[in-house]
Amino acid sequence: MNEISPSRPPDGLAHRRLCLAADVEQYSRLDTRMQAAVQSELVRMLDEAAALTRLDRAAWKRQPQGDLEFAVLPEATPEDAVLGPFVHHLAVRLRDRNARSAAQRIRLRMAMDMGVVADAALGHAGPAPVAVARYVNAPQLRAVLATLTAADLAVIVSDQLYQDVVRSGRPGLDPAQYVRAHVRVKEFGGYGWIRVPGHAPDDVRSAAAQEQEPTPEPQSDDDAPSRMPLSQYVHQGAAVGRDVVGGLTVGLPVPPPPTGPGLAL
């Protein structure tokens, strides 16, 4: 079997690369022995899925982080092979492993983006590694895995990957299987597309909508005179008001008090 093993660029130079992160759900609840076992199993399943897809894992620049593996894939890696067959084989590996009654169940969130990456002292630098770290922690992705309890894997890809690769008509990639989500994590904001192998898009869409909306802060009587009233409602995926989720902040001006004859100033 011939593996896809593109040549590596010189270290330290910025190149456009495919970045991937796989994060174990609820890893912190495990004891030390189980954490070590889960880490080994995660690496094994990623290795097997890559081998079945004819991807050379030895050429991946991997940055393990305990419950998460971040990887920068070689230049010229076929994105459609990663988004399609690799994800499929990983989902099958997870399903088969979790079917063993004695096994500690492993459920994964996975994120992918394509962008500029450079080697750095602590790993990698560039917008793509940052974006992947934010996408894998997207509230919608967490909500999907929490709601669809039968799912073992939930995947989110950047809007660029969706537009350039998923919608390109390549075999094995169905744009209709992806659900768009507006991701806001820390200072990052952007659109991503979520797919859960084995689950219908309507189920994914409904699960993503379970993301908790922010709750207005209670106001005391002392606060009332000094704070202008703020409304909070959801409009096109953005919460508008004091607590903002979705990147839109709206201050509602308070009209000046009316003046005129007979009104005390």
Side-chain angles (χ1 to χ4, degrees):
M1 179 182 294
N2 295 324
E3 291 184 334
I4 302 170
S5 181
S7 59
R8 300 185 185 183
D11 289 341
L13 299 180
H15 291 262
R16 292 186 64 79
R17 302 286 198 89
L18 180 64
C19 298
L20 176 153
D23 196 354
V24 178
E25 186 80 352
Q26 297 184 348
Y27 174 86
S28 61
R29 298 185 181 183
L30 306 176
D31 61 27
T32 301
R33 181 182 62 85
M34 288 307 305
Q35 287 180 355
V38 166
Q39 288 186 32
S40 296
E41 287 285 275
L42 173 60
V43 171
R44 178 186 64 80
M45 289 186 289
L46 291 171
D47 288 346
E48 291 179 357
L52 290 168
T53 314
R54 297 176 54 197
L55 298 171
D56 183 8
R57 276 268 285 171
W60 293 21
K61 293 189 174 182
R62 297 157 54 188
Q63 187 175 328
Q65 300 174 24
D67 61 335
L68 179 147
E69 180 182 297
F70 171 79
V72 177
L73 278 60
E75 283 189 297
T77 296
E79 295 98 339
D80 55 338
V82 181
L83 272 65
F86 175 76
V87 168
H88 167 74
H89 290 306
L90 180 59
V92 171
R93 303 274 82 68
L94 282 164
R95 182 197 66 197
D96 292 347
R97 184 211 172 273
N98 289 337
R100 302 200 303 264
S101 59
Q104 169 67 43
R105 191 177 180 196
I106 297 178
R107 308 176 75 215
L108 295 180
R109 302 190 313 276
M110 177 173 285
M112 300 184 213
D113 191 17
M114 166 67 77
V116 174
V117 184
D119 293 338
L122 297 179
H124 301 89
V130 173
V132 166
R134 302 302 181 248
Y135 278 125
V136 81
N137 286 303
Q140 297 94 331
L141 193 65
R142 290 181 178 275
V144 164
L145 208 55
T147 303
L148 302 179
T149 55
D152 297 313
L153 175 65
V155 180
I156 185 169
V157 303
S158 67
D159 187 61
Q160 179 183 349
L161 275 178
Y162 177 82
Q163 302 299 337
D164 293 349
V165 181
V166 177
R167 293 190 62 192
S168 66
R170 302 184 195 184
L173 297 178
D174 182 4
Q177 294 299 308
Y178 292 76
V179 174
R180 191 173 76 159
H182 185 202
V183 177
R184 296 286 300 184
V185 179
K186 296 184 178 180
E187 74 288 351
F188 174 84
Y191 285 101
W193 295 81
I194 299 175
R195 178 170 80 92
V196 179
H199 287 73
D202 286 344
D203 294 336
V204 176
R205 188 173 294 105
S206 176
Q210 301 302 314
E211 174 199 353
Q212 175 130 16
E213 296 173 4
T215 304
E217 296 177 2
Q219 287 187 344
S220 66
D221 292 339
D222 293 339
D223 291 334
S226 59
R227 294 187 180 182
M228 65 181 182
L230 291 177
S231 66
Q232 184 168 358
Y233 59 94
V234 174
H235 176 66
Q236 296 180 348
V240 182
R242 177 179 293 113
D243 297 322
V244 179
V245 174
L248 178 62
T249 306
V250 177
L252 303 179
V254 179
T259 59
L263 294 175
L265 297 180

